[in-house]
Amino acid sequence: MAEHEQPKSSLHYMANIECRLDSIETPVHALVALYRPLITRCVKVDDIVFYLDDIIFTEEREEIIALKARKGSTKAMKHLLSLIEKSVANDKWTKFVEILEKKGYQYVAKALRGEEVNSDVYKKYKNLLSPVRMDLVEKINPNDLLDLLESQEKVIEQSDTEHIKAEMENNGPMAGMIVLLDRIWRKSENWYTSFLKVLCLKEYTYFVERLDRQFALDLDKEMLESKPAESPGCKQTTATDEETKNTEGSFPVQCVSDEEEYRLAESGNFNELFSGDFHGEKPIQAVVNNVCDKDGVEVTEAKSVIETEETEEVDTDLKRTYQNASAEEQKDVQTSLGAFEERQYQNELALPAQRGQNCIIIAPTGSGKTFVAVKIIKHHLKNREIQREKKIAFVVEKNNLATQQSETINRHVTCKLKVVSGDTMRDEDFKDLAVLLSQFDVFVITAQMLVNAMDKRNLRIESFSLIIFDECHHCHGGHSFYKTMIPYHDKKLEDPEERIFLPQIVGFTASIGVGKANTQGQVVNHIKTMMANLDADALVSVKENYFELVTKMNTPDNTIMKIPKRKIDQFGAIIKDLMVKTEDCLALANDKLPDKNALSPPSTKGNEEYTQWLQTSLMDAGVRADRDLSPFLFTIRKYLEIYNEALIIHSNARASDALCYILQNIQDLQISDTGTEIEIRARTLFENVREELNICATDDQKCEENPLLMKLKEIILETHREESNMRGIVFVRTRVVADIIASWMKETDELKEIKARKYTGAQARGTDGGSTKSKQRETIELFTKGDFKVIVATTIAEEGLDIKECNLVVKYDYAGNLISQIQAKGRGRAVNSRFFILASENKCVAERELTNSLQEPMMEEAMNFVQEEIQAENEKYQMEKQELQRQAKRERDAAVHNQGSRTNAQRQCVLRCLKCNQYMCLSNEMKKIGFHFACVSEKLKNHVTCEKSEDIIFENKKIKIGVGIVKCKCGEKIGNVALHRGIHFPMLQIKAIKIEDDKKELLRLKQWKKVEEEYFTVSPLSTRDFKRISESGKLVDMD
């Protein structure tokens, strides 16, 4: 190959072949093989994979999404084609082509229909990227081109424009131009002419002349002939003039003002910029090991497309372009890696931490706190004054935040980074953090994982030189953030000289909160306590650059709307009467309980107060009851829990939703074989009103529509009318309500067009309203792209969810604290976004949220007071801080002393069924398999029954949980069956168990962690245990 000759693409040799999809004459596999390079190179897999439900299975779709995240779109697209080939769906290829056409891939669809296609499409794209034309990327502002390319020339779509703009916002104009060039050629075979035309119209004639001089001359001539008096479109600019402009540094891309400029990364590898797909698919990032995979650069010279392996995505050509560029060009391009719009207020926020101070940084949501953290991390890693080894822990509360924050840091910081969370550690062969410490510079880690590592003593707080707490307002009480800081405080107070070995502490939050304060003085004390918890010497907020901060924020105002209750509600009245009759059964147990108040329910029902009574007073009474009374109280409590939750659902949604909830859950309350009197009586009470409830649930004359739903529909429709490309988040109290509201939107005619999906936590099973991790990622991706306009979310989305297009946020009839309100409101990132709080008039939601709104200025005033006091009387503040820390240590020591030997002693306890008090096993017969708790007693099968199940709860290489259900002989479910190394293990659920300690006291705990802290430690399943079990036979009998 001659030196000047361009390497050939596999598309170069593609013939103009006419054939029909799914035709008898041409075998489908040959047709797909023929066009495979075209499909995999052109089509972005996430543009189409969500529309193939009729062709591939859900598991296969999730597999594609995961592969795309790891390997990129090309690899995922190859695998998708293989899955379609294996699919038995009818007309699969016809449907595939229809989806391609629907998503704008006209060029590919045309080829797959057997029509003649132009093989010159990709060659022209490659020519744009020759080394001598690198300034096309460097000096063109994508904003100048996007509108015309989308609306007039139609060579890109709205989704492409959104991706390009997002990339520009995150990484600067050069990155945006790279994404534009990657996307522009994929969907229209006339893209080249359209692109040059738009360049000319936008006065980039200099580049058009360099790319295709004849085109520039022809277009200019055409426009002059059509408008002889004046040519406003294509302005003649000589190369000399343009070069003069470039010398002066006035490229269109710069657009730099005094307050706002693009500061580019201090170090970067441009090769890595093209190591994967672009924004929204695979993040542009500095790869952990800072190594570029050169094997990805593939040159093919095959004579037949069928015999050719296509190159690995268009990034190969971009890499080659960079590698062939001059050293000066490389240096210029490198500066764009990890670029982001730097703002002066961010510099102001970062400065105290860069000077080495412990501090809490407070800035509004959407102001770029993570970018401030990036600046601090980069400065820390480069700071030569720090003599110790530099190791940074970026601590987050939740697993999903660990992934999100690591992507941002990885994109902007050249370092070796490791994500350590419950999710990543389950998917990997776990190593002690002490081992990982020597291999990585930055750890993005969940707080609980860090606490666990320090508890095991394989990691010390001094192992890190800098610890950053994201959302640091959690650092108090028993939260894992505070537990992380306990070793820090202990070392500091025990030996002040040790402080020089302790890490620098930096906290970030949008709101430090007010705690339980009611007065200004109490708020000041709360802030000082939070600062003492984080050993902060400075409380940092924007002062000097406040005007810039205000101009950059899109913070919506609060609108609190009190909504009247239903005027006609026979359904609710029937449920309340049913609850009263069920409560009357408790009178039968009055004489058998020492605490008579435990059986006295609150007068109002369908609220948090009633829920609290059920879960504390009545629950505790049942736990401590004898074997005869325990099933009685258990049954009554279960029925009342169902009715109470149904009333809460009824207040938030439709009567039919509440009835559906009752029917589903009462069906699970199976009457035992013996059929106790109370079970039969409670079921009879419900059956007596069942038909009446059915009638009321569907008759508007007996139960009118929910005014809350009507107001929510009105708000969503109004927002959609004003902005058809809206994004909205509706925050609800529970997973069940999230599921119901999302379903209501899908079933409501006016809202069907505005597609909705729920977004809930991954800790619960799907049957309990939870979402898998892959489902969460898919939901956010589709929401960002606009395939879903509304997500109905629980509080998991209040922190960290960053959707720049979101212009509507609704809190739906529940109240939180000040921090919760600020976090929820902060999800509205778009200009002119709106924030509504919908509150039933018969609850205290409106009043509590109004109190939150009034507390915000009180908090800001207290912050100013503390900042001024630190500046004026720093010595006094330091003394106060140390006293608060000493007081906290005294309280911790007292708690440990009061607990006595309870924490560490291995106590022998008995585990019993929560409902019937039936003996299950001894505490030393419980073993841990990973993070899960199994009973290895050979006698357990005498007290339980097991049924096969397909509801898999958790699965990895070592264990599969949910292959069966464990039930007590009384009929109550007490756990699940897990398959581990070929043996079925019964995994007991602590919420279905009561513990009898060595003093014969009965109690119920909600977490195994609490059991291990206070009663007994569960040891891991050993090789010896496994051998004994495998030799003795099975632990449970599976039906």
Side-chain angles (χ1 to χ4, degrees), residues 585-598:
C585 297
L586 292 173
L588 301 175
N590 244 342
D591 297 335
K592 301 178 182 179
L593 282 176
D595 183 8
K596 303 295 187 292
N597 292 328

Side-chain angles (χ1 to χ4, degrees), residues 370-385:
T370 306
F371 288 148
V372 178
V374 163
K375 293 177 69 65
I376 293 168
I377 291 169
K378 290 171 75 171
H379 180 273
H380 186 86
L381 291 174
K382 292 178 180 179
N383 190 349
R384 295 182 180 179
E385 294 180 8

